[in-house]
Amino acid sequence: MIPHTLFFTFALLFAPSLAGSVQKGGACNQKNNKLLAGSYQFHSDCDSVTFCNSTNLCQLKGCRRDIFPFGYSESSHLPDLCPNDQFCPDEMDACQPLLPVGSPCQLNRDDQCAPPPNFKQLANPRFGMNNNGSVCLNFQCYWANVTANQPCVVENTAYTGYGADGQEFIDIVSRGNCMTGLYCDSQNLVCKQTLALGQSCAADKECDSMNCLGTQVCGTPADAPKHFPIFVYIVVCFGIFGGIFGTLIGLFFVHRRQRDTEREKRMQYWREQVEWSSSLREKRCTHVR
Ligand SMILES: *[C@@H]1O[C@H](CO)[C@@H](O)[C@H](O)[C@H]1NC(C)=O
Ligand SMILES: *[C@@H]1O[C@H](CO)[C@@H](O)[C@H](O)[C@H]1NC(C)=O
Ligand SMILES: *[C@@H]1O[C@H](CO)[C@@H](O)[C@H](O)[C@H]1NC(C)=O
């Protein structure tokens, strides 16, 4: 319904100012670790390369989540990425083993939960529905394995977005532990079939395309490529080839006219020369005689 990119652009733009400012070795308080209102970004007193350790001092981060993490200079040593069976928590202190189903996890960190045995069947990376079939809802690990009409768990998170005109809006992201092709209905708390294009909807999650338009009908996915009717391609082709051949033919006619005038000039010169030499010859003949 609402362009998520706007929110993420905001989060990226303002990330530098949101990190704490205490440098390595400085004093911090773990009690100040929190998720920021609106963006739910993790925040601590420490700057972007350190975390607040158990002795309440800022210590260099022990792991990273991004290939190109924010806040490091080009020459500085980056902490390691975690191996496949471990994750780097929001604090980024150290890699930890994946958590079994039912364990506490951090907001939106589906990747902290261990995958179910049938993860290949349950995995749905589209729109970040789950990670390898596991999903973190209300700070607890679940498997996204609930079938139609069975009870499910739902988590609604209200993010603050900022429109192009700087106006604030609320974007509610609703997630559940239903299987692919289903969504968790917030009223009845059961899994329901997602809706096809053009059906009437009340929230993004209800649509197959994850895009409930302002008119309350399911629209095409927000990332769908734009398709043009075939005649547009034909017109463009005609334009390109018409332009090329039009230029060639136009130049041919311009050059032909130039060639004709040049030839006419040479013919005239030649005629004059012939007349000139023949009149000279006549004069010479009369002299000789
Ligand atoms: C906390 O960080 C400080 C400064 O980086 C370090 O000297 C200290 O050993 C760390 N404490 C623990 C328990 O690792
Ligand atoms: C899914 O699980 C498999 C096996 O544990 C692992 O190799 C793969 O990297 C995981 N994929 C993601 C996106 O976590
Ligand atoms: C579905 O996932 C839950 C955990 O979220 C698990 O306890 C349950 O056994 C799973 N059911 C099936 C049929 O795999």
Side-chain angles (χ1 to χ4, degrees):
M1 203 190 280
I2 279 152
H4 288 224
T5 40
L6 284 179
F7 160 69
F8 290 114
T9 312
F10 169 82
L12 285 177
L13 280 177
F14 288 79
S17 58
L18 295 180
S21 56
V22 181
Q23 291 182 336
K24 183 189 156 193
C28 58
N29 193 340
Q30 277 196 338
K31 288 204 184 87
N32 293 338
N33 287 358
K34 62 178 177 194
L35 296 178
L36 295 173
S39 71
Y40 298 92
Q41 191 190 2
F42 180 80
H43 178 90
S44 81
D45 294 336
C46 300
D47 65 8
S48 53
V49 300
T50 57
F51 72 96
C52 193
N53 74 10
S54 54
T55 48
N56 283 335
L57 291 170
C58 289
Q59 185 182 342
L60 287 179
K61 280 178 178 171
C63 63
R64 72 179 202 267
R65 291 180 57 199
D66 300 314
I67 292 173
F68 301 106
F70 172 79
Y72 289 85
S73 65
E74 239 171 89
S75 55
S76 63
H77 174 77
L78 300 180
D80 291 332
L81 287 164
C82 296
N84 257 349
D85 56 350
Q86 295 188 345
F87 68 89
C88 186
D90 284 352
E91 292 82 357
M92 298 195 219
D93 51 350
C95 292
Q96 292 175 25
L98 292 181
L99 303 163
V101 71
S103 318
C105 50
Q106 291 175 310
L107 181 73
N108 277 344
R109 292 297 306 273
D110 300 345
D111 61 314
Q112 297 187 346
C113 305
N118 56 342
F119 69 88
K120 277 204 180 108
Q121 180 205 342
L122 299 181
N124 186 6
R126 200 164 173 243
F127 310 119
M129 301 297 268
N130 63 52
N131 182 75
N132 248 350
S134 34
V135 60
C136 180
L137 302 171
N138 309 316
F139 308 105
Q140 194 182 326
C141 285
Y142 291 91
W143 290 339
N145 65 358
V146 181
T147 48
N149 301 319
Q150 296 301 306
C152 56
V153 177
V154 74
E155 176 200 71
N156 295 321
T157 314
Y159 291 89
T160 309
Y162 296 85
D165 50 2
Q167 212 171 353
E168 278 189 24
F169 60 84
I170 300 296
D171 184 18
I172 296 172
V173 174
S174 183
R175 314 185 69 220
N177 60 344
C178 299
M179 283 177 78
T180 305
L182 307 171
Y183 72 94
C184 190
D185 184 80
S186 301
Q187 258 94 57
N188 310 317
L189 293 176
V190 291
C191 291
K192 287 189 175 172
Q193 208 71 39
T194 50
L195 305 169
L197 210 71
Q199 289 189 273
S200 72
C201 57
D204 287 342
K205 67 170 176 180
E206 297 178 11
C207 299
D208 225 4
S209 58
M210 205 61 175
N211 187 17
C212 186
L213 301 174
T215 49
Q216 309 263 290
V217 292
C218 290
T220 50
D223 62 351
K226 201 162 168 57
H227 289 290
F228 294 99
I230 195 84
F231 80 86
V232 173
Y233 291 93
I234 294 172
V235 167
V236 169
C237 272
F238 266 104
I240 291 171
F241 288 104
I244 292 172
F245 290 113
T247 310
L248 287 178
I249 292 166
L251 284 173
F252 174 76
F253 281 113
V254 168
H255 285 161
R256 193 168 72 171
R257 199 178 312 140
Q258 281 174 350
R259 265 198 321 273
D260 286 349
T261 41
E262 284 300 315
R263 189 183 299 126
E264 190 48 46
K265 275 186 204 161
R266 279 199 297 276
M267 290 294 281
Q268 205 174 332
Y269 176 78
W270 183 77
R271 274 195 301 268
E272 278 172 9
Q273 293 299 308
V274 168
E275 271 172 31
W276 188 238
S277 61
S278 62
S279 70
L280 259 183
R281 219 170 13 232
E282 264 170 35
K283 270 188 199 150
R284 209 184 294 141
C285 288
T286 46
H287 273 279
V288 167
R289 210 176 287 152

